[in-house]
Amino acid sequence: MRVVFGAKTVGICCGIVLALNVAIASEHVAAPEQHTEAESQGWLEDFLATLGADGEFDSDKLIDFSYLPGPFYNPEMDLGVGISAVGLYQYDPDDEVSQLSSLVINGLASTNGALGVAIANKTFINQDRQRFYLNAEFFDAPDVFYGVGYDNNHADVNRVEFNQRIMSVNPMLLQRMSPSSFVGIGFDFSYASADSINPLDSSVETEILQDSSRSVGVNLLLNHDSRDNVLNPQSGRILEIDAAFYRQYLGSKTDFDVYNALYSEYMKSGHGEDILAWQVRGRFTSGDVPWDQLSKAGGGDLLRGYTSGRYRDKQMLMTQVEYRLNLPGRHGIVFWGGVGAIADDISEFSSDKLLPNGGVGYRFEVKPRVNLRLDMAWGDGDTGFYFNVNEAF
């Protein structure tokens, strides 16, 4: 579940935060005399076990789920509740090579009618010779639009509020070609429409939002992946190029291409289990790109601290570095910094129009190598609070 709290937003994540505060307090505050440490820890473990957040994997279950509920409030969605269901499973019980497969389902609902669900599935098959990935989203929720391009996006007065309906499905099958390389082919379908468009005091053109978008295409992937774990790497690197081609003869409204490039590296520091991670990431488009398919900087993964949907243009380039400090038990703290840029053309990237960010976050391991993350991030004139499952990268 991801809830983004902007600079003028008050957030209440009662369910999750209360559980985490209890967990921290139980480890750092002495128990009353009438209770032993074992009894205190037993109560805590029992409480977490009721949510499935026991830090263990039960191979006897078809899918071993953890459930993480949390009420929230923000001006766009009013009062609401979200829940994340995090499941681990072994596709083949006799497979001793593949890492655990995962299924993450994030849902939310609010008093103003916002509804949404996102699904992320990673299945490791046949001694990890094949991998099947599936990402899907279905949302009917408020969004923001500041026009297209840095100059428009950077002006607070250009804020346009609207309600967005989106539906997207992207399955992909990967085939191992060598000990550390894969090729993949996938299909991508997405639909987006906007209504209840409120320009407020904005002077940006909103006609682009009035046309619904339907994008249908195929994508090809090539990567080198030596990470020790896909969900939460502690060592290794990934170099990946993903090209997607959307065409009218496939059902798309317009013809356009999207190219994603990614390099991430993970290494253990000199302090035991601490991790230093960094990445460079770019998203480049060409052709008749619809408004919902423009490259974005911001949100819970791409340049935390900026409102998702605010900064958008045809091209995006960013980098971030993160230090993951391991604490006793199942706790951790992270610190990160990064910078990004958007532009209409690659040649127009400018050092005068950079988007810096930084932040600090808390981690709690709910399942083996699966972390709940709570991040507080700062950008240029913008802030955000995020809680989600798994690392940002």
Side-chain angles (χ1 to χ4, degrees):
M1 177 177 58
R2 180 178 67 197
V3 178
V4 179
F5 298 96
K8 299 183 180 179
T9 303
V10 178
I12 307 174
C13 307
C14 303
I16 297 177
V17 174
L18 176 60
L20 297 178
N21 286 340
V22 170
I24 298 173
S26 297
E27 293 189 5
H28 293 89
V29 178
E33 294 180 0
Q34 64 267 30
H35 297 290
T36 66
E37 181 179 354
E39 289 172 337
S40 177
Q41 286 296 101
W43 175 88
L44 173 60
E45 293 300 326
D46 289 345
F47 174 77
L48 294 174
T50 63
L51 300 177
D54 52 11
E56 304 293 337
F57 170 66
D58 187 348
S59 59
D60 292 332
K61 295 181 179 179
L62 182 63
I63 302 180
D64 187 9
F65 273 108
S66 295
Y67 302 95
L68 306 169
F72 67 85
Y73 172 81
N74 64 53
E76 290 78 23
M77 296 188 187
D78 292 334
L79 181 65
V81 63
I83 185 168
S84 287
V86 184
L88 296 180
Y89 61 96
Q90 191 78 42
Y91 179 80
D92 180 359
D94 297 324
D95 186 345
E96 298 181 355
V97 175
S98 299
Q99 58 191 274
L100 294 176
S101 301
S102 64
L103 173 64
V104 179
I105 305 173
N106 300 320
L108 64 86
S110 73
T111 55
N112 73 349
L115 295 169
V117 61
I119 300 170
N121 173 231
K122 298 182 185 297
T123 303
F124 302 90
I125 308 168
N126 193 19
Q127 309 290 319
D128 202 19
R129 294 188 182 93
Q130 291 87 35
R131 297 177 176 181
F132 176 77
Y133 292 170
L134 172 66
N135 292 287
E137 290 186 334
F138 308 90
F139 280 93
D140 184 347
D143 205 344
V144 295
F145 180 72
Y146 286 74
V148 179
Y150 177 89
D151 292 333
N152 283 331
N153 301 163
H154 197 62
D156 293 337
V157 72
N158 284 336
R159 180 184 178 94
V160 175
E161 297 178 353
F162 68 100
N163 193 75
Q164 179 177 224
R165 293 184 178 89
I166 58 175
M167 177 175 64
S168 68
V169 180
N170 178 214
M172 173 169 282
L173 181 64
L174 286 73
Q175 172 67 49
R176 184 183 293 275
M177 304 302 293
S178 75
S180 59
S181 65
F182 291 84
V183 296
I185 184 169
F187 175 80
D188 188 39
F189 169 85
S190 65
Y191 171 85
S193 65
D195 58 27
S196 302
I197 301 171
N198 184 359
L200 302 174
D201 295 325
S202 177
S203 60
V204 300
E205 299 293 336
T206 59
E207 286 80 1
I208 188 174
L209 299 176
Q210 296 174 4
D211 292 330
S212 63
S213 164
R214 184 180 66 249
S215 304
V216 186
V218 296
N219 54 314
L220 305 175
L221 178 145
L222 177 65
N223 77 15
H224 165 86
D225 189 354
S226 62
R227 295 173 296 175
D228 63 327
N229 185 279
V230 171
L231 295 179
N232 186 5
Q234 295 181 355
S235 63
R237 62 182 58 88
I238 179 171
L239 172 61
E240 183 172 276
I241 297 176
D242 183 349
F245 309 98
Y246 300 87
R247 294 294 182 267
Q248 294 184 56
Y249 58 77
L250 295 175
S252 185
K253 276 195 171 182
T254 61
D255 293 343
F256 66 99
D257 303 328
V258 177
Y259 302 91
N260 284 284
L262 165 69
Y263 180 85
S264 299
E265 187 162 351
Y266 309 84
M267 61 193 77
K268 293 186 177 181
S269 75
H271 300 85
E273 298 300 317
D274 297 350
I275 306 297
L276 179 65
W278 64 277
Q279 76 168 189
V280 178
R281 189 167 183 170
R283 187 179 188 272
F284 314 102
T285 69
S286 63
D288 189 3
V289 186
W291 58 271
D292 67 305
Q293 293 292 329
L294 292 168
S295 300
K296 301 177 185 178
D301 299 325
L302 299 176
L303 224 59
R304 286 160 286 177
Y306 293 96
T307 302
S308 179
R310 174 167 184 169
Y311 287 92
R312 65 177 87 198
D313 210 329
K314 281 195 169 184
Q315 325 301 337
M316 185 277 296
L317 185 64
M318 61 158 288
T319 183
Q320 56 185 333
V321 59
E322 185 168 282
Y323 190 83
R324 301 170 182 171
L325 178 64
N326 184 60
L327 298 178
R330 291 192 271 157
H331 310 289
I333 299 291
V334 304
F335 308 91
W336 78 87
V339 66
I342 59 170
D344 179 67
D345 188 82
I346 296 177
S347 63
E348 297 177 7
F349 282 124
S350 171
S351 60
D352 297 330
K353 299 179 178 181
L354 295 178
L355 299 169
N357 84 318
V360 60
Y362 168 72
R363 301 293 183 266
F364 180 76
E365 187 179 40
V366 296
K367 288 292 184 184
R369 304 293 284 269
V370 178
N371 287 340
L372 174 72
R373 63 180 172 100
L374 294 90
D375 291 334
M376 185 67 196
W378 294 268
D380 182 7
D382 206 351
T383 62
F385 175 70
Y386 311 85
F387 63 99
N388 208 329
V389 176
N390 293 326
E391 299 298 337
F393 67 97

